[in-house]
Amino acid sequence: MNRLQALFKRKSGHILNIYVTAGYPGLHDTEPVVLALDKAGVDIVELGIPYSDPLADGETIQDSSQQALQNGMTLSLLFKQIADIRLQSQIPIVLMGYFNQMLQYGIPAFIKQCETVGVDGLIIPDLPVEIYQRDYASIFEASSLSMSFLITPQTPSHRIRTMDEASHGFIYMVSANATTGSNIQISTEYFDRIKDMELNNPRLIGFGIKDRQGYDQACNYAHGAIIGSAFIKYLASNGLDHIDRFVTNIRNQH
Amino acid sequence: MQGSVKYTYPEDGFYGNFGGAFIPELLQPCVEELRSQYLSIMADPSFLHQFEALLKDYVGRPTPLYYAHRLSKHYQSHIYLKREDLCHTGAHKVNNTIGQILVAQRLGKQRIIAETGAGQHGVATATVCALMGLECIVYMGEKDIVRQAPNVQRMKMLGAEVRPAKSGSKTLKDATNEAIRDWINNPKDTHYIIGSVVGPHPYPDMVSRFQSVISQEILWQLKEKTGNENPTRIIACVGGGSNAAGAYFHYLERDSVDLVSVEAGGLGVHSGKTAATSQIGTQGVIHGSMTLLMQTEDGQIVEPHSISAGLDYPGIGPMHAHLIQSKRAKVVAIEDDHAVEAAFLMAKLEGIIPALESSHALAALDTLDLEPNDINVINLSGRGDKDLATFMQKGEHE
Ligand SMILES: Cc1ncc(COP(=O)(O)O)c(C=O)c1O
């Protein structure tokens, strides 16, 4: 069992997953940011592998990616940073990255390196579940890593079932059909519908959540929330000094 | 249509190892709506009737297949030019935008988005939107907006909104990313008209089919002129690969016809300033498709260089990646200055000013072993008016 699965075994709700782009705002900030999030009681950290062409992301995360790349961020450096983090923290770590970067690294080598440094899960937004199942599931499933797939309000239920079967971490419920960081109308009909499906995997709701109200709402309908753009914006204006404040503004210490 | 599925049609969206739809779940509804309907829409007699009528009366098809006497004499080999430069708007791009706007109408879309590099596809899209009275938004890299000012003016005059892509390297690949993001955020009312045989399935197949009108005409035109449908070879430039796909289409399964794909060598294939995707590129995913692309060891997409904005793309359509990997097509890289030279030669010998993109295909004649009895068909994808400033600047040094 990896750290992510252990977390879901231990905790069945109010899970807070915070996204940050690796190597942002400074090249060597990945480690202090993750450690501060851990200290502030965050449950999962999702590290974005910065990419030149992040299709699913809105401006905030694009800009942070661009900045991280300019800082000199690479996948090899990220693996080193995670290995260093693991000397001090056992917080579940999920890597979010576009498929091309993993292909270039070599899928078997990428998986092996993730396991070696202590990554627990993966989110690959541009690897659709059909292609995953046809070509890659066997190799990912032989590893200790948990795959998580994204669903949207438009995803048909038979596809959701397929993704639930292919996922071994959580189901990432995108709150609306929009790029990250968009101002969106939340549909509770969708949240209810998915809740009623009684999926195998826990559900985390993400995209557009920026405050306590959004977090509480996500926790009412699912096992927790993922916050990304709002945290990136916070880092952009406040730096690394008061990360705990960002977290306590979202929820009280658990 | 004849032929096996070897090259012509993708199976499950894949041409051999290449193609597919590597897209975020957010984009699935848009792409799936198109994928599930494009074949039946395109097979509908009323669609075909309207498409053919517009190609004939609005675009000006069939375009001539012209025997270039003086050029043939110069090269000591028979050279035919497929005159896509005579299409309305000055390039082959409009064959595809006419087709896609008709598909968009049948899908009930009121809003059209497109990406453009040099502005040729943007102009072709703005043109058909004006024709059909649909809203048109063209994404264009902030840098390209400055470099290609006349085409920006043309799009605006045609009623399109040109939106600067400010992300990444601010060029064609980023304009494509922006268009995809727009589509994610506007799935219901919007159709995305991609300008080449790139992007997620079904785009490479759909755009190839629309452009296949080019090879369909070459078949009977060549037969009329030489008594034989088959040339020795077909030569076309490849940016994303739509004019090449169109010129090759009906010949893909006819092994006796050589296919010569001409890429932009830029300042030299190994100079670091090139767009010779198939030669220095490696397998990967760009804009939703598994193909060959220019990238760093870390899988970051690299900005290409070519004197011709239409060939300045870091990827290549998946069909072409497959044609090249399986050796069905031969690849030639032509450097910037050589393409300009070929344009001047063509202007002088035939009175035709070719687009810089097409000039790459012309220059390839210098690199091939041509026999006196060979029949060479060159796809003259566009006219060179848009490139006059570059020609004038370069011409001073001739
Ligand atoms: C005249 C002309 N030829 C060729 C191209 C390259 O595109 P493709 O490879 O899709 O034909 C362009 C693109 O703008 C063009 O304008």
Side-chain angles (χ1 to χ4, degrees):
Chain A
M1 198 185 310
N2 63 42
R3 296 171 194 83
L4 194 61
Q5 289 160 334
L7 168 76
F8 287 120
K9 203 155 179 212
R10 194 172 73 238
K11 211 173 157 184
S12 61
H14 288 92
I15 285 169
L16 178 58
N17 175 344
I18 300 264
Y19 167 92
V20 65
T21 305
Y24 178 85
L27 182 60
H28 299 293
D29 288 341
T30 317
E31 184 179 345
V33 169
V34 173
L35 295 179
L37 289 172
D38 186 10
K39 200 159 157 234
V42 165
D43 299 295
I44 303 169
V45 172
E46 184 182 323
L47 285 174
I49 310 170
Y51 188 47
S52 56
D53 295 75
L55 273 189
D57 288 302
E59 235 172 276
T60 306
I61 293 182
Q62 281 174 45
D63 290 350
S64 69
S65 263
Q66 189 85 15
Q67 167 91 46
L69 289 174
Q70 272 163 16
N71 291 342
M73 196 60 198
T74 63
L75 193 47
S76 322
L77 179 58
L78 175 55
F79 283 133
K80 222 183 133 290
Q81 292 177 341
I82 295 172
D84 287 342
I85 289 168
R86 279 289 172 245
L87 300 175
Q88 299 183 62
S89 164
Q90 296 305 314
I91 188 167
I93 294 179
V94 175
L95 286 191
M96 197 295 284
Y98 287 83
F99 190 46
N100 193 49
Q101 302 170 282
M102 299 162 197
L103 272 180
Q104 239 359 59
Y105 200 89
I107 300 294
F110 176 80
I111 291 175
K112 186 152 171 279
Q113 198 59 17
C114 283
E115 290 182 303
T116 307
V117 302
V119 171
D120 302 293
L122 295 174
I123 298 171
I124 312 175
D126 60 342
L127 180 59
V129 70
E130 301 81 16
I131 298 179
Y132 171 76
Q133 286 192 318
R134 198 188 69 180
D135 295 338
Y136 303 101
S138 56
I139 171 162
F140 280 96
E141 283 176 3
S143 77
S144 65
L145 304 171
S146 298
M147 264 310 252
S148 291
F149 283 88
L150 277 75
I151 67 170
T152 78
Q154 267 72 45
T155 308
S157 34
H158 65 91
R159 251 177 97 80
I160 296 179
R161 293 275 175 222
T162 308
M163 291 193 226
D164 190 35
E165 260 157 49
S167 296
H168 298 282
F170 53 88
I171 288 288
Y172 190 140
M173 287 178 63
V174 175
S175 47
N177 219 86
T179 45
T180 54
S182 310
N183 272 327
I184 48 187
Q185 273 323 99
I186 300 258
S187 146
T188 51
E189 176 278 324
Y190 158 61
F191 293 166
D192 274 327
R193 178 164 52 88
I194 306 304
K195 194 174 177 183
D196 290 346
M197 287 183 75
E198 299 185 353
L199 303 178
N200 301 321
N201 287 275
R203 306 174 313 278
L204 301 182
I205 298 177
F207 281 39
I209 299 181
K210 49 180 181 288
D211 51 22
R212 182 179 293 256
Q213 192 194 345
Y215 171 76
D216 286 342
Q217 190 188 30
C219 292
N220 281 339
Y221 289 92
H223 300 80
I226 303 173
I227 298 182
S229 299
F231 182 59
I232 299 285
K233 280 187 189 149
Y234 185 87
L235 285 179
S237 33
N238 300 280
L240 275 55
D241 287 343
H242 300 291
I243 287 176
D244 54 328
R245 268 187 222 161
F246 178 83
V247 178
T248 47
N249 278 337
I250 301 289
R251 70 170 186 194
N252 305 334
Q253 279 282 6
H254 275 240
Chain B
M1 284 183 204
Q2 96 290 307
S4 72
V5 293
K6 239 169 92 194
Y7 299 107
T8 318
Y9 304 111
E11 245 175 279
D12 292 340
F14 280 86
Y15 298 89
N17 297 322
F18 303 107
F22 290 81
I23 51 171
E25 187 62 23
L26 298 154
L27 200 57
Q28 287 288 349
C30 306
V31 171
E32 180 54 27
E33 182 183 27
L34 184 64
R35 192 202 61 76
S36 61
Q37 297 190 52
Y38 81 108
L39 288 176
S40 58
I41 290 176
M42 287 175 68
D44 181 44
S46 84
F47 175 93
L48 286 170
H49 179 76
Q50 209 183 351
F51 182 54
E52 281 161 18
L54 282 170
L55 287 185
K56 176 166 176 279
D57 299 330
Y58 187 71
V59 175
R61 305 204 71 93
T63 60
L65 183 70
Y66 164 69
Y67 183 73
H69 289 271
R70 297 184 68 204
L71 203 63
S72 297
K73 198 160 167 222
H74 179 87
Y75 282 106
Q76 298 285 304
S77 193
H78 301 294
I79 297 168
Y80 287 86
L81 303 175
K82 181 59 176 161
R83 299 289 309 274
E84 293 301 297
D85 60 316
L86 295 176
C87 288
H88 176 45
T89 72
H92 70 291
K93 296 279 178 190
V94 73
N95 302 327
N96 167 47
T97 59
I98 293 268
Q100 284 203 50
I101 200 95
L102 296 179
V103 170
Q105 280 185 324
R106 280 159 178 78
L107 291 172
K109 308 291 181 179
Q110 288 103 40
R111 183 174 174 272
I112 299 295
I113 54 173
E115 85 297 337
T116 197
Q120 289 305 105
H121 173 60
V123 167
T125 304
T127 298
V128 297
C129 287
L131 182 67
M132 299 298 171
L134 295 183
E135 182 187 357
C136 180
I137 292 155
V138 179
Y139 287 90
M140 189 169 185
E142 208 167 40
K143 277 189 197 155
D144 292 333
I145 287 182
V146 178
R147 289 195 286 193
Q148 311 287 335
N151 271 344
V152 175
Q153 291 310 318
R154 288 170 81 194
M155 286 185 268
K156 287 186 176 162
M157 185 162 173
L158 291 161
E161 179 193 341
V162 180
R163 282 197 194 159
K166 298 178 178 172
S167 59
S169 47
K170 303 177 175 55
T171 59
L172 177 57
K173 79 175 177 67
D174 310 285
T176 309
N177 293 338
E178 288 299 326
I180 291 174
R181 290 183 189 117
D182 180 311
W183 208 18
I184 287 175
N185 289 311
N186 299 286
K188 291 223 168 69
D189 63 340
T190 299
H191 175 71
Y192 175 20
I193 299 190
I194 293 187
S196 191
V197 287
V198 301
H201 177 67
Y203 279 103
D205 183 44
M206 180 173 65
V207 178
S208 301
R209 288 171 189 249
F210 287 140
Q211 292 292 359
S212 73
V213 63
I214 301 174
S215 62
Q216 200 173 25
E217 290 172 4
I218 296 175
L219 283 175
W220 63 261
Q221 290 174 319
L222 203 60
K223 174 109 198 236
E224 209 173 76
K225 293 195 153 61
T226 68
N228 188 346
E229 286 182 342
N230 295 349
T232 311
R233 62 181 66 82
I234 304 172
I235 306 171
C237 66
V238 175
S242 66
N243 87 85
Y248 296 170
F249 198 86
H250 290 82
Y251 293 101
L252 285 168
E253 319 293 347
R254 300 189 183 191
D255 290 338
S256 72
V257 179
D258 288 346
L259 307 176
V260 182
S261 300
V262 187
E263 294 187 328
L267 301 182
V269 172
H270 299 291
S271 67
K273 288 240 163 231
T274 185
T277 306
S278 76
Q279 296 189 50
I280 66 156
T282 48
Q283 188 167 336
V285 172
I286 180 171
H287 298 137
S289 180
M290 177 76 78
T291 187
L292 296 171
L293 64 127
M294 290 166 51
Q295 54 185 329
T296 65
E297 275 182 12
D298 236 26
Q300 310 292 349
I301 297 173
V302 164
E303 194 53 28
H305 164 85
S306 167
I307 191 170
S308 129
L311 302 183
D312 213 353
Y313 182 67
I316 183 175
M319 175 210 272
H320 291 287
H322 180 50
L323 288 172
I324 291 165
Q325 198 181 56
S326 62
K327 303 214 155 46
R328 174 69 185 92
K330 171 190 164 88
V331 185
V332 173
I334 294 297
E335 295 182 12
D336 289 351
D337 287 347
H338 191 179
V340 172
E341 251 172 60
F344 275 90
L345 182 71
M346 175 77 142
K348 212 165 358 178
L349 290 184
E350 297 291 347
I352 297 171
I353 299 175
L356 263 171
E357 292 79 12
S358 325
S359 305
H360 285 72
L362 295 166
L365 287 169
D366 293 325
T367 70
L368 301 169
D369 289 323
L370 305 177
E371 298 292 334
N373 291 327
D374 284 358
I375 307 283
N376 305 281
V377 172
I378 298 178
N379 198 36
L380 191 63
S381 56
R383 66 172 187 234
D385 310 43
K386 68 185 178 63
D387 300 312
L388 270 184
T390 310
F391 288 142
M392 291 309 97
Q393 191 191 356
K394 285 279 176 182
E396 285 166 16
H397 309 295
E398 293 278 298

